[in-house]
Amino acid sequence: MTLGADHPGSGKHKVAIVGSGNWGSTIAKILAENTEAQSDVFQKEVKMWVYEEKFQLPDSHPKYDSSKHSKPSNLTELINELHENPKYLPGVALPEHIIATPDIKDCVADASILVFNIPHQFVPQICKQIEGQHLPYARAISCIKGVSVSEDGISLFSDSIGKRLGIYCGALSGANIASEVAQEKFSETTIGFSPDDSKLKPLPEGLPKVDHELIQNLFHRPYFHVKMIDDVAGVSLGGALKNIIALATGFVDGLGWGDNAKAAIMRVGLLEMRKFGKMYFSNSCRTATFTEESCGIADLITSCSGGRNHRCAKLSIERGKSVDEIEQSELNGQKLQGTLTAKEVYEFLKKEGTTEEFPLMTAVYNILEGTVKPEELPDIIDPKSPKRSPSPHKL
């Protein structure tokens, strides 16, 4: 496939987003606002791939029509009709030039910029469907928070997507709770993007170069500020590993231990995140990214305060149920990323023989498995602390 002179969007980038959960729909909103505002660079239409499912529009919805909505409808049809994702982002108006499609090949076919926003366990099968169906010179951004673990080791989803599709893929991550961004409350994010254009299929003549400036213009909104950096690994790892730490702080909050305890867990968690990057991605990861950028410390703070991983872990303690059970009852069909990431990171660390180097991340996995109690966290993260002596007042 090539973008010829007679192509209706010749000289302009076309954007497609793969994924339509609450964060995917929010990012689609941002992209569509910017493609409309920058018509000299981008085609206005933004296609959004939706995993097709049935959804019953509640009769309380302001656009409910009993002649059309008395039975469950295809989610894609509802999104295109209502210009809203009523299941995953209810109440938020989406630009009318976002076109939802259940056909992933149709979604990506003529897009020069692909944005991935799907649960990370589905990346391999989605890439398999896209392979050979996309423009060979396309560039991509991954908004997926997780890591890919296989027999070959551990890798970033930006790298996995790029290698599988033969294109370049950067990464976006930051302190971004989807509902707040969708409501246009101020937030910031980090995008790691550092392609070696000499090794990529060149863009057609006349199509603007996909560099830091173009990507920033595509994602930046008055309510959503974007910082561009080269450290794709740091951005990706910050987004993945903070979900494990958020589970730990959720356990602590569920126990009612207060803010001092949560701060201690976050401090240890940040150190383990930075250490992980230094040990396993030393050639590309800048350790300062974890302490200086939104994808690091800011995302950690947000996720440990109001993110879904923290909330579900907290509820699991309060209700005496497993995190998996809470996920099923609370997330409206969406999946936690922290539980799967904790398992994958633990399996990798066990294979490397370094679980003791990361006591907090290891403990989170063991708590999820039921072999460690959350109450044991203080001694696990600081095993050398002196044993408590009886209070002299009790002697």
Side-chain angles (χ1 to χ4, degrees), residues 205-218:
E205 186 176 351
L207 200 61
K209 183 179 180 180
V210 184
D211 55 14
H212 275 202
E213 182 179 5
L214 185 139
I215 293 296
Q216 186 172 43
N217 288 340
L218 178 59

Side-chain angles (χ1 to χ4, degrees), residues 228-241:
M228 300 295 303
I229 64 175
D230 291 333
D231 184 8
V232 179
V235 172
S236 300
L237 289 174
L241 301 179

Side-chain angles (χ1 to χ4, degrees), residues 227-254:
K227 172 74 177 296
M228 300 295 303
I229 64 175
D230 291 333
D231 184 8
V232 179
V235 172
S236 300
L237 289 174
L241 301 179
K242 57 90 183 180
N243 284 328
I244 304 176
I245 314 307
L247 289 169
T249 60
F251 295 139
V252 166
D253 272 351

Side-chain angles (χ1 to χ4, degrees), residues 38-51:
Q38 302 171 66
S39 58
D40 58 326
V41 179
F42 303 105
Q43 295 183 47
K44 183 177 177 180
E45 181 183 273
V46 174
K47 286 187 177 179
M48 178 174 71
W49 175 72
V50 178
Y51 175 77

Side-chain angles (χ1 to χ4, degrees), residues 356 359 377-388:
E356 292 184 0
L377 277 171
D379 289 334
I380 290 173
I381 63 175
D382 189 12
K384 296 181 181 179
S385 61
K387 299 298 182 181
R388 294 184 181 89

Side-chain angles (χ1 to χ4, degrees), residues 91-162:
V92 175
L94 300 177
E96 294 187 5
H97 52 284
I98 293 176
I99 308 300
T101 174
D103 185 340
I104 195 165
K105 295 178 182 179
D106 171 64
C107 179
V108 306
D110 56 353
S112 53
I113 298 178
L114 305 175
V115 179
F116 289 83
N117 207 325
I118 51 178
H120 77 260
Q121 59 267 37
F122 300 124
V123 170
Q125 67 188 69
I126 294 300
C127 284
K128 185 176 181 180
Q129 295 177 57
I130 293 175
E131 197 170 5
Q133 306 299 319
H134 62 87
L135 296 173
Y137 52 81
R139 306 293 190 259
I141 296 289
S142 168
C143 302
I144 302 165
K145 296 186 175 182
V147 288
S148 176
V149 177
S150 67
E151 294 181 356
D152 298 326
I154 192 165
S155 62
L156 312 174
F157 280 110
S158 53
D159 288 343
S160 299
I161 292 169

Side-chain angles (χ1 to χ4, degrees), residues 21-40:
N22 63 343
W23 187 221
S25 297
T26 298
I27 289 292
K29 174 181 181 293
I30 290 169
L31 298 176
E33 288 171 353
N34 281 328
T35 59
E36 181 177 25
Q38 302 171 66
S39 58
D40 58 326

